[in-house]
Amino acid sequence: MTGTQYLAEVSGGDATRTVYLGGTVVSSRRLALRWLRSQAERLADGLDPDPRRAVHFPLPALQRVTLPRTPSPHKPPSWLCSQWLPRGRP
């Protein structure tokens, strides 16, 4: 199948509006999925950044807080596991 192109788009919103966040046209499904994974990681990092990797957190601004240990309601998305993260990332 020569000449086939794949469109990958990322959007967000609610029941009344949709916000276009980005898109690309690539030559293979593999490239489309790779792009979608990178966008998913970018959005997850933007919503809940890791302070060890975030450049906008100066280290003096971070302080350890001791809280009672309770189960966290937030769990990472099932698609975001170590096999999808680039090598060398914590």
Side-chain angles (χ1 to χ4, degrees):
M1 297 179 96
T2 59
T4 302
Q5 292 186 323
Y6 297 88
L7 171 65
E9 292 183 333
V10 177
S11 62
D14 57 19
T16 59
R17 347 167 216 247
T18 301
V19 179
Y20 177 77
L21 299 173
T24 188
V25 177
V26 293
S27 60
S28 71
R29 290 179 289 187
R30 177 183 212 125
L31 291 174
L33 289 173
R34 184 181 297 167
W35 183 84
L36 287 169
R37 278 190 214 112
S38 71
Q39 294 302 301
E41 183 179 358
R42 178 181 68 86
L43 292 171
D45 282 344
L47 293 170
D48 187 14
D50 181 351
R52 295 170 296 176
R53 292 191 331 223
V55 294
H56 58 277
F57 285 119
L59 287 178
L62 301 177
Q63 297 180 8
R64 186 172 298 274
V65 177
T66 305
L67 298 173
R69 293 190 57 86
T70 58
S72 172
H74 173 72
K75 293 185 180 180
S78 60
W79 52 262
L80 186 59
C81 60
S82 60
Q83 77 184 60
W84 303 121
L85 295 175
R87 293 176 193 253
R89 303 273 309 259

